[in-house]
Amino acid sequence: MKKTSSLLLVAGLIAGSTLIGCSSKPSDDELKQLEDLKAEVASLEREISAKESEKASLAKAIADKDAQIKKCQDDKRAAQSRLQGM
């Protein structure tokens, strides 16, 4: 979805710059702006991908910690049960 939004943004900027200009050919400045925008979009997409990967890693770490907590709680209950049985 974010990729689509980024592509729509670039397409909108291209369309807007085409409508603003008087000539049918884009100027060198417009081409440079377009290339800069494409590079920025690519950079942002890489950053999104890295953040999604980091989020998945953190979610896994949280799940691991939750499992450890549950195991500790179960061990504690078992120990208390054995102590009460003595």
Side-chain angles (χ1 to χ4, degrees), residues 42-58:
S43 172
L44 291 172
E45 287 174 349
R46 284 191 301 274
E47 188 176 332
I48 289 168
S49 178
K51 293 296 181 184
E52 287 173 348
S53 176
E54 182 181 356
K55 179 182 173 184
S57 175
L58 290 171

Side-chain angles (χ1 to χ4, degrees), residues 8 11 14-19 21 23-24 28 32 34 36 41 43-44 50 54 56 63-65 72 84-85:
L8 288 175
I14 292 170
S17 66
T18 302
L19 293 175
S23 67
S24 61
D28 290 339
K32 180 169 179 359
L34 177 60
D36 290 345
V41 167
S43 172
L44 291 172
E54 182 181 356
D64 290 345
K65 293 293 181 184
C72 287
Q84 289 176 353

Side-chain angles (χ1 to χ4, degrees), residues 18-84:
T18 302
L19 293 175
I20 293 173
C22 295
S23 67
S24 61
K25 290 186 174 183
S27 69
D28 290 339
D29 187 44
E30 291 171 330
L31 289 174
K32 180 169 179 359
Q33 285 178 336
L34 177 60
E35 291 303 317
D36 290 345
L37 287 172
K38 286 181 181 179
E40 185 176 357
V41 167
S43 172
L44 291 172
E45 287 174 349
R46 284 191 301 274
E47 188 176 332
I48 289 168
S49 178
K51 293 296 181 184
E52 287 173 348
S53 176
E54 182 181 356
K55 179 182 173 184
S57 175
L58 290 171
K60 183 182 180 313
I62 289 170
D64 290 345
K65 293 293 181 184
D66 287 344
Q68 288 177 350
I69 289 170
K70 184 180 181 316
K71 183 180 181 325
C72 287
Q73 289 172 340
D74 292 344
D75 290 347
K76 180 181 175 184
R77 273 190 233 112
Q80 286 175 338
S81 168
R82 278 182 265 156
L83 284 173
Q84 289 176 353

